[in-house]
Amino acid sequence: MNIEELSGLPAGAVDHFRSEGIEELYPPQAEAVEAGATDGESLVAAVPTASGKTMIAALSMLSAVERGGKALYIVPLRALASEKKAEFEAYEQFGVTTGVTTGNYESTSEWLATKDIIVATSEKVDSLVRNGADWLSDLTCVVSDEVHLIDDRNRGPTLEVTLAKLRRLNPAMQTVALSATVGNADEIADWLDAALVDTDWRPIDLRMGVHYGNALNFDDGSTREVPVEGSEKQEAALVRDILQEGGSSLVFVNSRRNAEAAASRLGQVSSRELDGDEREALVDLAEEIREDSDTETSKDLADCVERGAAFHHAGLSSTQRTLVEDAFRDRLLKVISATPTLAAGVNTPARRVIVRDWRRFDPSAGGMSPLDVLEVHQMMGRAGRPGLDPYGEAVLLAKSHDESEELFDRYVWADPEAVRSKLAAEPALRTHVLATIASGFARTREGLLEFLEATLYASQSTEAGRLERVTDDVLDYLERNDFIERERDGSETSEESDDGGAFTSAADLAAQREAKREETLEATSLGHTVSRLYLDPMSAAEIVHGLERAEDRPTALGLYQLVSRTPDMYELYLRSGEDETFGELYYEREAELLGDRPSEYEEDRFEDWLAALKTGKLLEDWASEEDEERLTERYKIGPGDLRGKVDTAEWLLGAAESLAAEIDSEWTVAVREARARVEHGVSEELLELVSVGGVGRKRARQLYAVGIEEPADLRSADKGVVLGALKGEKTAENILENAGREDPSMEGVEPVGAAANAGAAGSSTEGGGDEETTNEAADDGQSSLGDF
């Protein structure tokens, strides 16, 4: 189908696509148009990676806007939201506006009411529904990217329930679901009342195969010689081979440590393929990475980058991940070794994808388990970029002939698994049942069950009554913890009579069940708060009980360990020997810990408390201004892990502050101070200083060292002292202006005590600061957790 044949789009849209080099639609795109994508018809597109799914979404959304509607694009990751925002913002040239919202789960983001296309994560959309964002009822088209992630145990239920709620809010809404090729795309289409486009077409050939010995054997029967030289590893030989051809390579491994080790080795291969200009550009890129974070991980990454290689995993900061991804897309970086998270992330294609590790550790299995076919195919789908690569190759590595045959059978020839709903798992259900009641989607038990019947789980369930039983268990839990109230119209709900005898009448039993179905459900004030805060009810219960049982003012460690025990915080796990280290800390500071403390004989619970204590101690160390590099080394984590723990703790403590106010706790101020300390990474005496724009933990400590202890001091202190502490006229002027100084100019001011202050700066630590502060301080070359 020629692009000129499209109709129903905003004026200028076709010209825009033509300017992007699009003259004809790919077959899956043309099939989607024929199925009604531009006419408001719902659609499931199950097509391979790089086969034009985003264009299907764009055509659907733009045609909806042209009809006077509003479109929502749901992504699984914040990084993908940023990528799509950049892509869709180009539509503003023909009058279609785009907005993006991913954070602040308490906000309704009403400013988005004026936007034509909104990009958001499924968690953010769920929170918008909970908080009653009015503009959601104006949606006429919703696109769900990577809808197969409904199968994910952690994030899948949120996407599933969100789609069900949006469809209930807007019964006539067009739903467009984009998916990798899965085993049951027809089931998803039936659930969404949508047409199905299911194809394995790709714009360039993808050959999948297995490397064994010196040969790469493909699924089409062809063979390519890729000899392994001397002590060289298989992946190094495969990377060398494709780089010499001018292509790039992605290598998937099963752990962060393996990703880092592989990148270090593969850098020796890629460095031989660099020209002079590339070497200079990579030196600059490496310096950016070192400046972002002063940690061992950052240094190791920068060393690899200088040689044209990189590693990619969740331990990197968001800035580092972006720098690596952009340089790889530009073909400046030649090879990335990555954990599987990259396969579900942003657009990073390579000519050759190598799946080195097809097993990973599974705690539930007690050892290494094979990856799912769908996950491996997602990795393999990264192979080949239209316009740059003549083909794509996806390779698994075998050590024996038998293993080679196993890999062909297990992955190359195999179809992906079916997507299965995970909604009936109680942790997911308790969160979404409370939200459904609090947001008014269901006001009776019968209404709740009716809503749940509209989910994918209900359409897939073969176990009669299971959803109802699990829902009743969740309702009991929510009632016990004062999150909901149930009213049964005065009807007896016991299956026994008042005198203890069992009911014998079938009619009586039927009446009991009917009375139970019709009971009314209402969220309490506490329940509404928990739903609005986007907390797992179990997290809220843990926090509330901890605060209620605190006899003395909670310490920062006590509060940090409390929020680290919640399901919403991923604890640091205990390494070998650390049970003894943190066991000693537990007994040393046991009085500070909140809630019912376990004994060491409750092995599982005691170990969980120690893991939470380790996480809490990391947060306490950060809030005591310990150096980022020292923390990442001590706790064996990456800068991204530290940032993630800090961000999550800040959110949970902010929620804890709201919960403390809700239950009239006397410890609200203690919670607020603990939150502020972890947000800025400072001791208590610096909290006032870091409230000034441009002042993070390092600058606050430098100012405090010269006697400037609060914002008022900045308005009266000798400018030379301020300049000596901060070093940098522009920075000093900016901070004085933010503090409200009448004349912040540093013109003609000489720094006082600069040498002494430099010494003070060397003993203090880096970190803290928000995005706005980071931008303001860019002239000093300071950023990330190393701000100011």
Side-chain angles (χ1 to χ4, degrees), residues 542 546 549-552 558 561 565 585-587 589-602 605-606 609 613:
E542 189 80 37
R549 294 169 192 175
E551 297 179 1
D552 300 313
Q561 198 262 358
R565 293 202 311 267
L585 183 65
Y586 173 84
Y587 290 115
R589 304 184 67 172
E590 183 178 5
E592 298 180 53
L593 306 184
L594 305 174
D596 294 327
R597 295 179 284 281
S599 77
E600 59 184 302
Y601 300 107
E602 300 175 84
R605 189 161 171 252
F606 188 69
W609 269 60
L613 179 58

Side-chain angles (χ1 to χ4, degrees), residues 494-513:
S494 172
E495 296 274 323
E496 296 185 349
S497 61
D498 289 340
D499 63 2
F503 290 113
T504 56
S505 165
D508 284 342
L509 287 172
Q512 291 295 322
R513 285 193 292 269

